[in-house]
Amino acid sequence: MMKALGTGAYYTGKYRNLFEQFGYHNEEIEKRVKDTWDKLFEGDDDTRIYYEAGENMGYLLDTGNLDVRTEGMSYGMMMAVQMGRKDIFDRIWSWTMSYMYMENGENAGYFAWSCEIDGTKRSNGPAPDGEEYFALALFFASHRWGDGLAPFDYSVQARNLLHACVHKGENNDGFPMWEPSNHLIKFIPNCDFSDPSYHLPHFYDLFALWANPEDREFWGKAAEASRSYLQLSCHQATGLAPEYAYYDGTPNNERGYGHFFSDSYRVAANIGLDTEWFGVDEWQREEANRIQAFFADISPSDYRRYTIAGEPFEEKSLHPVGLLATNAMASLASADGPNAKVMVDLLWQTPLRTGERRYYDNCLYLFAMLALSGNFRIWMPN
Ligand SMILES: O[C@@H]1[C@@H](O)[C@H](O[C@@H]2CO[C@@H](O[C@@H]3CO[C@@H](O)[C@H](O)[C@H]3O)[C@H](O)[C@H]2O)OC[C@H]1O
């Protein structure tokens, strides 16, 4: 039975343990989730991506690019709030506010998407996927632990950030992160195209509940627009999405990002979580089945870059573990589909990635572990 959010949207309020449904034992599953967290955030493993900084800060390192990204920091906060780790959440948020937050210029109110490990900004521009994850992680933190003094007044921080995302540019002060005319998230504020993997309608349905009252209608429309946009941008036969796409959904290959590669992987995971939180949408079920069918007979060692029509390039996937993790997370949308169990089994049998490219793969891996074990939840206000 679906539960009303009060915005016209309904949520499931249920978090399936798909691992258990597919035959794994609960004790083993819980241990695996905990081990995965430990290997990323604690200990000496060569899978680690989180590091403490000073007395009260910490960061996630993009081990392949040797920088700290809003993507990783916001993912780290989402992981920490799901795992109930306020200590680590606050450390990451402190680092983010100390070094990434921009107070001046056309991006004031946003976060610099890439910094050096010492906090020096590598860029003065943001990447909107970070802002949307920050905002929802902050709302969840507020609901789980309550608001504290700034910058730990989590719900205030989330609302201010979402205000900037929607309203910047209204006073000639930069650009919004969502295009006002169509409610679609942009790749960067000052551009007119999108990135299908940035579309998180399941987040926007919650922003419609918790953002500033005057923006709630906007977020409801953004959720609807994103669910439609995914249908436009994912290939009808293969289900594959390009990294960047125009507002009409066609691939944007101006800089070579019009194909299925690293960014694209997240679309499958996002569809899985949207289904888990907000219920089955027939297109999402079919889409998850299409992506899983495409990869069903390809060995991870042979994952490549593909056109969205499915033609392989010579170039191998940079993040095969991340790709198989997101394909497994799609099983939340296709649980009764022909490849759902195979994809979940493949994730279960695959260890975390080691080596210099481990950051992106291991982030997607932990998200999949959380989601497939029923531990990637909506934290409602008490
Ligand atoms: O041009 C930058 C643009 O690159 C930036 O995007 C962020 C970085 O890329 C995205 O994820 C990467 C996927 O590939 C892996 O190899 C990397 O480790 C990941 O970081 C990420 O989602 C974006 O936030 O956005 C700002 C633009 O100016």
Side-chain angles (χ1 to χ4, degrees), residues 62-65 67 69-72 75 113-114 123 125-130 187-188 195 197-198 243-244 255 257 261-264 266 318-319 357 359-361:
D62 182 333
T63 52
N65 294 295
D67 64 351
R69 301 184 164 201
T70 49
E71 169 198 65
Y75 286 2
W113 77 275
S114 166
S123 156
D129 58 335
F187 168 62
I188 52 170
D195 175 327
S197 76
Y198 286 13
E243 294 197 280
Y244 305 164
R255 292 199 286 140
Y257 290 90
F261 203 55
S262 306
D263 275 25
S264 317
R266 295 176 289 206
L318 199 53
H319 301 292
R357 283 285 171 192
Y359 149 83
Y360 190 62
D361 297 82

Side-chain angles (χ1 to χ4, degrees), residues 63-64 81 87 107 123 129 145 214 256 258 288 340 365:
T63 52
V81 73
D87 54 335
N107 289 313
S123 156
D129 58 335
W145 302 314
E214 63 274 20
Y365 190 108

